[in-house]
Structure formats: C-alpha cells, structure tokens
Amino acid sequence: MAFSLQLQQIFVSPSRFCFQSKSTNPQIIPNLTKRPSIHPFAYAQNDATSNIEAAKSSINSSAEEVSLPPELRRELMPKHIAVILDGNRRWAKKRGLPVALGYVAGIRALRNFVKLSYNWGIRALTLFAFSSENWFRPEAEVDLLMGLFDKVVKDELENLARAGIRISIIGDSSKLPKSLQDLIEKAVMTTKANSRLHLVAAVNYSGQHDVVQACQTIAQKVKDGNIEPEDINSFLVEQELQTKCTEFPSPDLLIRTSGELRLSNFLLWQLAYTELFFSHSQWPDFGEAEFLEALSSFQQRQRRYGGQSS
C-alpha cells in the first residue's frame, strides 16, 4: 500500500526512540517531561532538534534500570503492561485538527511511554494498535494507519534493536499490505534475541478469535491422537494463545485511555486476573504523570487471584 501524500506532509520529521543508561541523568529522560498540548506540527519541529542530540548518544542495551520516581516501589512494579491506545481521533477533533494529526500526536505519546517503561524496568508491553474491527473505519483512515505502521517500524527498528528491545506481532498479519508484512517479519527476526523489553503489537487482533484459534489447534491435536480430551486444561489453552510469544503471557496491568470502560475484544483470556486502570486522558495526552498515576494505583492494590486477603 502506497504511503499517502497526506501522511508524508504531516510526518515531515521522523523522530526516534532514544534510551539512556544509568550513567547519565538517573531519572530525567531527555524530551520526556510533560508538556502542554501543542499543535502536532510543532511536535515535528521539536523532534527534529531532539534527533540531533539523540544521534550523539550511544545506547547500552545491558545498562541497569534507572532510579524509579520516589512514589514507586521496584518490587511492586508490573512485569507486563497491556495498553488500549484510545482517543487519538477525539483528541484531534476536540482541537479542530485532521484525524491524521491525532495519530501523529499519539505516536509521540507512545514513544514517551516506551521510553519510560524501558527505563523503569517493565519487561513486556502489549499495545492494541489495530483491532480486527478497525477495518470498518473509512478507507482513507485505514490507509493512513497502515502507512503510519510502516513508517514507524522503518524509522525505529534500528534504534529499538540496539536498545535490546524485542518486537513481536500478534493478530492476523496476512491481511496487512504485503510490504508491511515483510517489514514486520524483518523486525521480528532482527530483534528475536533481545530481552531488555518485549514490545508486542496487536495488529488486526481479536481476543475472541485468539481463543477460537487456540481451541481449534487443541481440537486438531485431539483428532490426531496427540492428546486426550481430559488433557485439556487452562494451561494447555494458554500455550496456544498468540501471547505465548512472551515470557509473561498474562498482563499484570491494563491501561485504557480516553475514559472508555470496556475491553473491546482485547486479550479476553489473558486479562482474567489483570488489574484494570481507566484514564480519562486521551492517548496523545497520556504522559509521565498519567503513567505514574496508573502505576501508583496498581501498587496500592492487593492481588488475591480469587483467594482471601492477607
């Protein structure tokens, strides 16, 4: 699918993920402090300057995690966070901007979120980037999103790989543009040995279909005589879900932005005992302060998994 002219005009200055080690400033990440909402065209201008500084910094993928903010305790940090990145379109419409600019601002928020997660020791992020239902959106918007996926992966792959970040994709990628499929395969293969942070993107993903395909796979194993029906249990089902690609298949924390209070067909099996946090901030406005609020809320909860409180 061709990269749209509209997207080329908007994304005039690609910016990159930049990660720093503990040997630099232990808590403040460059360009990561919360800023007031500004026009996305200004984002591109600001990022053009930050790229010069980022290019001067070397990345140490084995670096220790930086110090946490004082309100967080490392032993209570979630290992796996799932995120529904909601509100990009509403963010743009609220400001009288084209929808495309909402997605561009959303990418900036994602860039910051990954940097914080990386530096604070989160081990896995699963991002709901594109649901199987999103195909019903206007064709121009779908084309825009496919172009954004393509551009972001191209711009960020080398830097993410050097930082020790592993990339995986869950969902039915066969329906994506062939060029994007090839790029995804390259990203997965390039980063498969990395272990600092596992970045899982759910693209053309359906939680219901994930469970269905797991059941179909297990049913075929029964039909082939490899297992008996009585061998089927929750552990076996989990092994056939698409999140088997990560060391931590069940998220500890789900964050959904923009005030919506539903799961929207995302990781339905995996979220059985996940702590849920719903933010009223739209995704482009979800910054360090909002992330700290979510993590602080998580750390104050007692996870009992159906048992009694201690």
Side-chain angles (χ1 to χ4, degrees), residues 10 14 47-48 51 66 98 142 150 171 173 187 200 214 229 241 270 273 296:
I10 292 170
D47 285 339
N51 285 340
V66 301
V142 172
D150 185 281
S173 60
V200 182
L241 295 171
Q270 297 89 332
Y273 288 102
S296 296

Side-chain angles (χ1 to χ4, degrees), residues 280-297:
H280 288 287
S281 297
Q282 292 161 334
W283 176 248
D285 290 330
F286 192 89
E288 183 173 353
E290 290 76 15
F291 194 13
L292 279 173
E293 181 185 5
L295 292 173
S296 296
S297 175

Side-chain angles (χ1 to χ4, degrees), residues 142-193:
V142 172
D143 289 350
L144 174 73
L145 289 170
M146 293 298 118
L148 277 172
F149 294 153
D150 185 281
K151 184 163 183 59
V152 168
V153 175
K154 285 179 180 176
D155 287 346
E156 311 294 356
L157 178 55
E158 182 180 352
N159 211 25
L160 292 172
R162 290 203 312 270
I165 294 177
R166 179 185 174 191
I167 300 172
S168 293
I169 303 293
I170 59 174
D172 182 7
S173 60
S174 67
K175 295 185 178 180
L176 302 179
K178 183 60 168 59
S179 59
L180 183 54
Q181 292 182 46
D182 294 341
L183 188 58
I184 287 172
E185 183 178 1
K186 176 184 177 182
V188 171
M189 294 302 295
T190 300
T191 63
K192 65 179 181 179

Side-chain angles (χ1 to χ4, degrees), residues 8 11 57 85 139 154 156 214 240 279 297:
Q8 292 179 35
F11 223 133
S57 302
L85 321 169
E139 183 177 357
K154 285 179 180 176
E156 311 294 356
E240 299 300 338
S279 171
S297 175

Side-chain angles (χ1 to χ4, degrees), residues 35-268:
R35 308 182 204 180
S37 299
I38 58 176
H39 196 288
F41 282 121
Y43 288 157
Q45 183 179 7
N46 292 340
D47 285 339
T49 302
S50 67
N51 285 340
I52 298 174
E53 297 303 319
K56 298 177 182 177
S57 302
S58 61
I59 297 175
N60 183 359
S61 61
S62 62
E64 296 180 9
E65 296 149 3
V66 301
S67 298
L68 287 174
E71 57 265 49
L72 298 179
R73 295 171 56 186
R74 188 168 298 283
E75 69 273 16
L76 297 179
M77 290 292 285
K79 292 182 174 64
H80 183 177
I81 299 177
V83 188
I84 300 177
L85 321 169
D86 200 14
N88 295 301
R89 294 192 299 174
R90 275 168 282 182
W91 183 92
K93 291 178 180 179
K94 183 179 179 180
R95 291 161 175 76
L97 301 172
V99 169
L101 290 177
Y103 288 117
V104 172
I107 289 173
R108 181 181 179 85
L110 175 60
R111 195 177 293 122
N112 291 343
F113 185 81
V114 172
K115 289 177 186 177
L116 285 169
S117 299
Y118 178 93
N119 282 286
W120 290 350
I122 305 301
R123 299 296 305 282
L125 292 175
T126 299
L127 311 172
F128 204 7
F130 189 86
S131 76
S132 57
E133 291 83 9
N134 288 155
W135 292 109
F136 296 106
R137 291 186 176 182
E139 183 177 357
E141 185 175 342
V142 172
D143 289 350
L144 174 73
L145 289 170
M146 293 298 118
L148 277 172
F149 294 153
D150 185 281
K151 184 163 183 59
V152 168
V153 175
K154 285 179 180 176
D155 287 346
E156 311 294 356
L157 178 55
E158 182 180 352
N159 211 25
L160 292 172
R162 290 203 312 270
I165 294 177
R166 179 185 174 191
I167 300 172
S168 293
I169 303 293
I170 59 174
D172 182 7
S173 60
S174 67
K175 295 185 178 180
L176 302 179
K178 183 60 168 59
S179 59
L180 183 54
Q181 292 182 46
D182 294 341
L183 188 58
I184 287 172
E185 183 178 1
K186 176 184 177 182
V188 171
M189 294 302 295
T190 300
T191 63
K192 65 179 181 179
N194 292 345
S195 60
R196 173 68 183 268
L197 170 65
H198 196 170
L199 188 60
V200 182
V203 182
N204 193 25
Y205 176 83
S206 160
Q208 291 176 332
H209 182 265
D210 197 3
V211 175
V212 169
Q213 66 83 27
C215 293
Q216 290 173 334
T217 301
I218 294 170
Q220 187 63 50
K221 290 181 177 180
V222 173
K223 181 179 179 180
D224 294 341
N226 296 326
I227 60 174
E228 297 296 326
E230 55 267 24
D231 296 330
I232 301 173
N233 54 32
S234 60
F235 176 77
L236 185 60
V237 174
E238 185 175 281
Q239 295 306 302
E240 299 300 338
L241 295 171
Q242 294 183 45
T243 44
K244 65 185 177 183
C245 65
T246 180
E247 182 182 357
F248 310 100
S250 297
D252 301 298
L253 172 65
L254 168 76
I255 297 173
R256 177 164 191 164
T257 56
S258 199
E260 302 293 352
L261 306 178
R262 55 179 177 269
L263 300 181
S264 295
N265 200 14
F266 183 47
L267 301 179
L268 298 180

